Amino acid sequence: MPRIALGLEGSANKIGVGIMRHSDDGSVQEVLANVRHTYITPPGTGFLPKDTAVHHREWILPLIQQALNDAKITPKDIDVICYTKGPGMGPPLQSVAVVARTLSLQWKKPIYGVNHCIGHIEMGRQITGATNPVILYVSGGNTQVIAYSHHRYRIFGETIDIAVGNCLDRFARIINLPNEPAPGYNIEQYAKRGKTLIDLPYSVKGMDMSFSGILSFLEQLVAQNTIVEAADLPNHTTPTPTAAPAKPTGKKGKKRPAAPMPRVYTKEDLCFSLQETVFAMLVETTERAMAHVGSDQVLVVGGVGCNERLQGMMADMCTQRNATCFATDERFCIDNGIMIAQAGLCMLAGASPPLEMHQTTVTQRFRTDAVYVSWRE
Amino acid sequence: MPSPHHASVAAQVLSVDKELKPHFLRRTLHADGATLTIHYEASSVKLLRTSVNGVFEQLVSVVRTMIAFPALE
């Protein structure tokens, strides 16, 4: 009998519902429905936990109904209910879990709690066909380099502070880029029009990465200089900075150092420089992991994986190594419900037991390697 | 609640999440027929208010879900 899973995802500002079907031997896997709504806040702001939970509660029931319609099935056709156990933001995760529990009791179906990162990985593998890649998981909330070994997705390298997507999103806020459709998308469009590479801190620490220093550097740069849109510049060229006038001599004839004059930077050049810098860091750490495990496949998952420049840089590195780079489009890169359904069906296939009701909690911290990957060798 | 089934589902769903400060606030739920009873012991009015607000948001969500998707036999 084919198995059908309902997947519910709401760990950040996207509420996603997906319905996935596996044939009884698991060889045929089909996406029956994949719907989503994103909570978008005004430019210069980010999304807060409680408001995000309110948004999810408002949208989740209509999305479930729409998913059932798209899949042309009724509730009794669903075999398992899958929800995101973590990691993510507490209130939004909980708002989704409450609905998942209720449906499990109403429809009398088993319930699985899925790790969000593993959802991304399993959906990426399914859609691209990558058999055993090194995985770069990059989003607003997570930045990890992962490789599979002995029933665990091992974390080879990760950010030691904030996620790369968090760095990008907060920078978009600083320069007031809109959040519609996503701050990272708008950074990508501005970066395409950037011409000058500004020297930013580059922070790779062995297998790990750090992004909060780059963000602080940019915050200070924006505060101390003039930031414009390229279109507002006369002749669309960035003016060259002039040297400051020498200050009068101070005590004992010493000259005080000249204070730097504020420069003019374009948002386009800043976005371009930030992308080039952080993406190079991601490519470097991914390549290091590939060299360690001897892998010739890379899979990029997570919202930042939508970025075509990152995909291009990763593909260039892979070409140099005779490796293959796999990536997905925004239906699967960006948080979605279908990846939760997919991972849930994997757990079912691997005979991982469903949860008892008292176990259907959520957790803000949930390490990728904490899950026993029962469905792989 | 509209029926014993509704009360039972609500009690089960809302009992899963533990309160964040068990020393300062305790909450228990149980269903008796069609009545859902939520019992609170709190050390301050503010804690009580925020917890009650949260539980009611979740309760509304449970009830709306049951209305949109009725029980299967």
Side-chain angles (χ1 to χ4, degrees):
Chain A
M1 280 289 292
R3 288 181 297 274
I4 297 182
L6 175 74
L8 304 173
E9 151 60 32
S11 58
N13 65 330
K14 279 77 81 185
I15 172 75
V17 177
I19 299 177
M20 191 78 182
R21 175 167 62 202
H22 284 193
S23 60
D24 40 4
D25 63 354
S27 59
V28 180
Q29 301 181 352
E30 304 161 82
V31 174
L32 299 184
N34 188 20
V35 293
R36 172 175 66 217
H37 194 265
T38 306
Y39 173 50
I40 297 175
T41 55
T45 67
F47 54 92
L48 296 171
K50 273 209 214 136
D51 303 333
T52 309
V54 168
H55 167 270
H56 289 0
R57 272 193 285 269
E58 187 190 325
W59 280 89
I60 188 171
L61 296 177
L63 284 171
I64 293 173
Q65 190 56 61
Q66 192 188 335
L68 290 168
N69 295 345
D70 289 354
K72 300 185 180 32
I73 62 171
T74 63
K76 67 173 169 44
D77 303 314
I78 305 263
D79 295 306
V80 288
I81 315 259
C82 312
Y83 76 100
T84 309
K85 196 180 220 310
M89 299 166 84
L93 282 169
Q94 194 198 48
S95 68
V96 171
V98 162
V99 172
R101 292 173 203 150
T102 308
L103 291 177
S104 170
L105 292 171
Q106 287 287 84
W107 298 345
K108 299 185 177 45
K109 306 290 179 185
I111 184 168
Y112 279 91
V114 172
N115 178 298
H116 180 90
C117 316
I118 294 196
H120 276 292
I121 295 171
E122 289 304 332
M123 201 65 217
R125 285 180 62 229
Q126 203 285 326
I127 287 292
T128 63
T131 48
N132 194 18
V134 161
I135 298 140
L136 175 66
Y137 170 36
V138 274
S139 70
N142 294 280
T143 295
Q144 298 172 9
V145 179
I146 294 160
Y148 174 78
S149 169
H150 289 91
H151 298 288
R152 301 273 168 181
Y153 283 112
R154 316 268 168 189
I155 301 173
F156 271 66
E158 58 188 321
T159 175
I160 60 173
D161 40 58
I162 61 176
V164 62
N166 191 240
C167 179
L168 293 167
D169 290 351
R170 285 161 67 180
F171 178 65
R173 256 181 258 167
I174 291 168
I175 57 170
N176 248 35
L177 290 190
N179 290 323
E180 167 93 61
Y185 176 84
N186 293 323
I187 290 181
E188 183 175 359
Q189 304 319 307
Y190 270 71
K192 287 178 185 169
R193 304 193 297 268
K195 296 187 179 65
T196 308
L197 186 67
I198 300 158
D199 198 22
L200 300 178
Y202 182 92
S203 190
V204 168
K205 297 172 189 290
M207 298 292 293
D208 295 325
M209 302 151 268
S210 165
F211 297 102
S212 62
I214 300 171
L215 184 63
S216 303
F217 181 89
L218 282 168
E219 274 173 341
Q220 199 174 42
L221 190 148
V222 166
Q224 292 176 350
N225 295 281
T226 311
I227 311 301
V228 298
E229 305 263 342
D232 296 337
L233 288 176
N235 302 325
H236 296 245
T237 50
T238 316
T240 49
T242 51
K247 297 264 181 182
T249 52
K251 290 181 188 173
K252 299 185 184 170
K254 278 190 193 158
K255 277 214 167 102
R256 292 169 61 212
M261 294 280 280
R263 286 186 51 166
V264 176
Y265 291 98
T266 66
K267 292 183 184 180
E268 287 80 353
D269 288 343
L270 288 170
C271 289
F272 168 68
S273 307
L274 176 57
Q275 282 198 170
E276 294 301 300
T277 308
V278 298
F279 292 167
M281 290 166 57
L282 297 175
V283 170
E284 179 187 333
T285 44
T286 306
E287 183 170 17
R288 190 161 289 126
M290 289 168 77
H292 273 286
V293 305
S295 173
D296 65 355
Q297 291 181 339
V298 172
L299 172 64
V300 185
V301 297
V304 181
C306 290
N307 189 299
E308 287 171 358
R309 179 56 184 146
L310 174 60
Q311 291 180 12
M313 287 169 75
M314 198 65 73
D316 289 344
M317 177 272 285
C318 284
T319 306
Q320 290 170 17
R321 298 182 64 87
N322 288 323
T324 323
C325 180
F326 296 89
T328 65
D329 64 34
E330 56 84 34
R331 288 170 297 167
F332 307 105
C333 266
I334 299 180
D335 289 348
N336 59 82
I338 195 70
M339 71 189 192
I340 303 300
Q342 172 66 8
L345 284 172
C346 289
M347 294 167 81
L348 178 65
S352 295
L355 297 175
E356 308 273 339
M357 188 51 58
H358 72 270
Q359 297 174 312
T360 61
T361 51
V362 296
T363 172
Q364 290 185 244
R365 302 206 197 306
F366 190 0
R367 296 286 285 167
T368 313
D369 53 14
V371 174
Y372 180 75
V373 181
S374 57
W375 55 96
R376 292 183 65 174
E377 289 307 308
Chain B
M1 302 289 278
S3 73
H5 169 77
H6 284 83
S8 164
V9 168
Q12 288 179 74
V13 170
L14 298 178
S15 299
V16 177
D17 298 300
K18 300 282 158 262
E19 283 291 333
L20 293 171
K21 298 175 183 165
H23 290 308
F24 301 107
L25 187 135
R26 254 193 298 265
R27 157 172 66 87
T28 52
L29 297 101
H30 76 272
D32 192 2
T35 306
L36 174 70
T37 306
I38 309 179
H39 181 83
Y40 273 100
E41 285 169 33
S43 63
S44 79
V45 174
K46 181 191 168 191
L47 263 178
L48 185 63
R49 175 174 53 79
T50 51
S51 181
V52 167
N53 282 342
V55 158
F56 266 87
E57 278 171 345
Q58 291 177 53
L59 181 58
V60 166
S61 182
V62 171
V63 171
R64 284 200 177 136
T65 306
M66 290 199 280
I67 292 170
F69 300 105
L72 294 179
E73 292 319 306

